[in-house]
Amino acid sequence: METKAKDAWRLPLVLFLGQLVAFSMAACSFASSFIANLGVDAPLAQSFCTHLLLTLVYVPILLRRRQKLRIPWYWYLALAFVDVQGNYLVTEAYQYSSITSVTLLDCWTVVWVIMLTWYVLGTRYSFWQFLGATTCVAGLALVLLSDAKSPDAQDPDKMPLLGDALVIAGTVCYAFSNVGEEHCVKKNDRVELVAMLGLFGMLVGTIQILIFERKSIEAIAWSPTMISLFAGYAVAGFIFYTITPFVLKMSGATLFNLSLLTSDMWAVAIRVYFYQQQINWLYYLAFTVVAIGLIIYSLNESSSVDGTATSTEAAAHYQQLPSEDNSTGSGSNLDREERKQQEAHIC
């Protein structure tokens, strides 16, 4: 009964956390697009705020443990560098493209992760998983077609195709970061990973801000609205980095990918109700195609994981049989020797 009660509460909790991750991602997108519409171009500063908040919260927890790092610091530095570049490229894309296109094109990360895990980690995928990834690519191609036909394409201040290219480049960085984080999590705990990402991300961001964005930050007119937007981006990013490991641990990549898909619907709502903008019908078609592709990929990913776990358990049981046979055989041999000794003693 206790197990059933835990399972009954587990699903609503996972769904709630998944939607919280999706909403935090959409909140970051909204803050970035709002800041870009106000004429501020400071993507590194936005990412710095998130990494600063992560450092202030998680580094003291890590120091309180008084333990050495389980993974060399330079690996965390490399992951943080790639993560900062990904955040920079995707956030910079809001200067040129719409919030809906940027959030949907984030799905390119799934494609790059498949390629990296195939060649780097040796992961093998089924035909249906490749079909799902190919379907996602087809839907993302419709996004590019929609942006090419949008009125912003003729606006010299708006270059949606350039924004789309920045997003795709950013997803490459996210893919490297995600694969590296997956490798680190298997050998380490969540707190050390998030703390080191925050610390080294803050250091990398500081250096790049001093080189590239110092004049842009000095030109910002700091108003309560601007401060609220930067603070909101930092809080939303902090929630995203904090809750994502919990969702992956409790439900795996299946529900996580499906939960992130709903962030695109939040982006549509933001564009329609806050910006009063019309959305091309190709976007709705692209969203449907990407949703189908992710569902196909995620469901087959779940089944392959279950099949691997089942075969592993079966192999474990199979390996126990010889030991049992050996113990039984050794026991019978001992009985025979005892009988022979008793017979000899009687004679």
Side-chain angles (χ1 to χ4, degrees):
M1 294 296 294
E2 292 181 357
T3 303
K4 292 182 179 180
K6 290 180 180 180
D7 293 338
W9 283 102
R10 183 184 184 88
L11 182 58
L13 178 60
V14 171
L15 292 175
F16 172 74
L17 292 177
Q19 289 306 304
L20 190 57
V21 170
F23 181 76
S24 63
M25 185 177 179
C28 288
S29 302
F30 172 68
S32 297
S33 63
F34 207 114
I35 292 172
N37 289 337
L38 293 177
V40 176
D41 186 8
L44 289 172
Q46 297 178 50
S47 180
F48 173 83
C49 293
T50 297
H51 289 106
L52 175 62
L53 191 56
L54 291 172
T55 302
L56 294 176
V57 174
Y58 283 99
V59 170
I61 298 176
L62 187 63
L63 293 176
R64 189 180 303 174
R65 295 181 175 182
R66 297 181 180 179
Q67 296 178 353
K68 294 183 179 180
L69 295 178
R70 300 180 182 180
I71 296 177
W73 62 269
Y74 48 84
W75 285 108
Y76 290 123
L77 177 61
L79 285 178
F81 178 80
V82 174
D83 186 66
V84 170
Q85 308 317 309
N87 290 334
Y88 168 77
L89 292 171
V90 173
T91 306
E92 180 69 14
Y94 289 101
Q95 300 288 334
Y96 307 100
S97 190
S98 63
I99 182 175
T100 48
S101 297
V102 173
T103 52
L104 188 56
L105 285 171
D106 276 341
C107 297
W108 268 102
T109 305
V110 177
V111 179
W112 303 128
V113 166
I114 292 176
M115 295 181 181
L116 284 176
T117 52
W118 178 280
Y119 289 105
V120 177
L121 301 181
T123 305
R124 293 297 177 259
Y125 298 92
S126 66
F127 167 78
W128 290 103
Q129 287 174 309
F130 278 115
L131 179 62
T134 304
T135 305
C136 290
V137 173
L140 298 174
L142 292 176
V143 177
L144 299 178
L145 181 61
S146 174
D147 287 339
K149 293 184 177 182
S150 66
D152 293 335
Q154 285 72 36
D155 189 352
D157 296 330
K158 288 287 186 179
M159 293 179 286
L161 292 181
L162 175 59
D164 296 343
L166 290 174
V167 177
I168 295 174
T171 57
V172 175
C173 296
Y174 282 153
F176 277 101
S177 178
N178 291 340
V179 174
E181 290 173 13
E182 178 184 355
H183 179 70
C184 292
V185 167
K186 290 180 179 179
K187 296 183 178 180
N188 196 11
D189 63 333
R190 178 185 60 88
V191 174
E192 180 177 312
L193 175 63
V194 178
M196 291 297 98
L197 280 179
L199 178 61
F200 286 111
M202 184 183 65
L203 295 177
V204 172
T206 301
I207 295 174
Q208 291 187 328
I209 287 173
L210 293 176
I211 298 175
F212 301 108
E213 282 190 4
R214 185 174 58 182
K215 294 182 179 180
S216 299
I217 295 177
E218 292 175 353
I220 297 176
W222 292 102
S223 62
T225 301
M226 188 64 64
I227 295 174
S228 300
L229 289 172
F230 273 86
Y233 182 92
V235 172
F238 175 84
I239 295 173
F240 181 85
Y241 278 97
T242 300
I243 298 180
T244 294
F246 285 106
V247 179
L248 290 174
K249 183 177 180 180
M250 296 177 66
S251 65
T254 301
L255 189 57
F256 180 71
N257 287 332
L258 295 177
S259 297
L260 287 185
L261 187 62
T262 59
S263 65
D264 299 323
M265 296 308 299
W266 290 110
V268 171
I270 291 172
R271 185 173 179 181
V272 172
Y273 292 104
F274 283 90
Y275 296 126
Q276 303 296 324
Q277 296 178 354
Q278 297 296 326
I279 298 178
N280 194 314
W281 65 272
L282 283 174
Y283 177 83
Y284 294 105
L285 178 60
F287 177 83
T288 304
V289 173
V290 172
I292 295 173
L294 283 179
I295 290 173
I296 294 174
Y297 176 83
S298 299
L299 291 178
N300 285 275
E301 182 184 30
S302 178
S303 61
S304 63
V305 171
D306 295 338
T308 304
T310 304
S311 61
T312 303
E313 293 176 358
H317 288 297
Y318 179 77
Q319 292 174 357
Q320 292 176 0
L321 292 177
S323 62
E324 293 175 357
D325 292 338
N326 292 334
S327 62
T328 305
S330 61
S332 61
N333 292 331
L334 290 175
D335 293 338
R336 292 175 182 175
E337 291 179 0
E338 289 178 0
R339 290 177 181 176
K340 290 181 181 180
Q341 290 177 359
Q342 289 176 359
E343 293 175 355
H345 179 70
I346 292 172
C347 294

